[in-house]
């Protein structure tokens, strides 16, 4: 069965960077886009972008250009998202989700940036 | 960006009764291929969102047929027949037609 296992919660300093992971199993990793979505406490869902692990192509929400960088490691079937120059506005739960249907989601990674 | 507007923001339903949630997009979500790219998700308390309906009216795998989706190019409805306790959570509509993909603010469903 398809599973997306995300890395654990992060407490990070303002101005620093963080890299969170999403390990895929149960399907051919290189055949489906992996998307990333942000959810701030009590707020809705905000799409960040996607990566196609087959060739590394990426597409970003313009709002996250320069903030998020998506990569993928085919050898370990793991997608990554690096967030840079962190501020309190980046405090959120970040989800990975497979394919355009978003039929499969990771459990979410909480990133906390103290103000 | 395409704006997705949901109504109501919250709804309280007696178990066994039905509920409807509306979603309106600021732009037509009907692609030239005939597919309408609106999706519905449910986020149960403390959980990740789960897909309910894809491409406006298609029931996702494993989702009870009490759920149904309908609509036009810009106005969409999620209907839940015979609401059960497990249906509690926040419902989101989303458009996956064009970058950036966007979601409604969510509708919180509670039981009376």
């Amino acid at each position: 069965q398809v599973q997306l296992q995300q890395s654990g919660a992060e407490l990070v300093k303002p101005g620093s960077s963080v890299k969170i992971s999403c390990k895929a199993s149960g399907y051919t990793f290189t055949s489906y886009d992996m998307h990333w979505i942000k959810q701030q406490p009590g707020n809705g869902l905000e799409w960040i972008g996607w990566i196609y692990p087959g060739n590394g192509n990426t597409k970003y929400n313009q709002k996250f250009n320069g903030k998020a960088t998506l990569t993928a490691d085919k050898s370990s079937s793991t997608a990554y998202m690096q967030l840079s120059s962190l501020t309190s506005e980046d405090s959120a739960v970040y989800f990975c989700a497979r394919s355009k249907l978003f039929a499969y989601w990771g459990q979410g990674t909480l990133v906390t940036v103290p103000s | 960006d395409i704006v997705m507007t949901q109504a109501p923001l919250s709804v309280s339903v007696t178990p066994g009764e039905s509920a409807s949630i509306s979603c309106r997009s600021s732009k037509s979500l009907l692609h030239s291929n005939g597919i309408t790219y609106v999706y519905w998700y449910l986020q149960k308390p403390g959980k990740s969102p789960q897909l309910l309906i894809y491409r406006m009216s298609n029931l996702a795998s494993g989702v009870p047929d009490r759920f149904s989706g309908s609509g036009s190019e810009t106005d969409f409805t999620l209907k839940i027949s015979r609401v059960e306790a497990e249906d509690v959570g926040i419902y989101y509509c989303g458009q996956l037609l064009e970058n950036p993909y966007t979601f409604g603010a969510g509708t919180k469903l509670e039981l009376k």
Side-chain angles (χ1 to χ4, degrees), chain A residues 3-114:
Chain A
Q3 289 189 328
L4 301 177
Q5 182 66 38
Q6 296 186 229
S7 50
E10 301 270 6
L11 175 61
V12 291
K13 294 180 179 179
S16 67
S17 298
V18 68
K19 192 172 186 178
I20 60 180
S21 65
C22 171
K23 183 172 177 58
S25 61
Y27 71 98
T28 303
F29 178 64
T30 52
S31 296
Y32 294 84
D33 302 341
M34 189 70 78
H35 296 250
W36 291 86
I37 296 99
K38 177 182 181 182
Q39 185 171 42
Q40 290 180 296
N43 283 11
L45 305 168
E46 195 169 19
W47 177 76
I48 296 170
W50 58 255
I51 183 167
Y52 183 65
N55 57 17
N57 282 356
T58 55
K59 192 77 171 180
Y60 294 92
N61 181 340
Q62 188 172 7
K63 177 179 178 179
F64 291 91
N65 275 335
K67 170 61 66 177
T69 303
L70 305 183
T71 57
D73 177 4
K74 290 188 281 189
S75 67
S76 63
S77 297
T78 303
Y80 298 92
M81 178 174 66
Q82 179 163 317
L83 299 168
S84 60
S85 303
L86 291 165
T87 72
S88 59
E89 288 300 305
D90 298 314
S91 293
V93 175
Y94 293 88
F95 295 99
C96 58
R98 195 197 82 168
S99 85
K100 198 168 184 181
L101 293 184
F102 299 172
Y104 300 97
W105 294 65
Q107 82 275 23
T109 296
L110 175 64
V111 174
T112 303
V113 187

Side-chain angles (χ1 to χ4, degrees), chain B residues 11 13-21 42 52-53 59 63-70 77-88 91 109 111:
Chain B
V11 61
V13 185
T14 300
E17 297 192 342
S18 64
S20 289
I21 299 170
L42 165 61
L52 298 174
I53 301 289
L59 197 64
V63 176
D65 61 7
R66 300 183 291 103
F67 291 88
S68 62
S70 63
T77 302
L78 175 71
K79 183 175 181 181
I80 313 165
S81 304
R82 305 181 305 280
V83 169
E84 300 182 3
E86 66 178 19
D87 301 335
V88 165
Y91 290 79
L109 186 145
L111 297 182

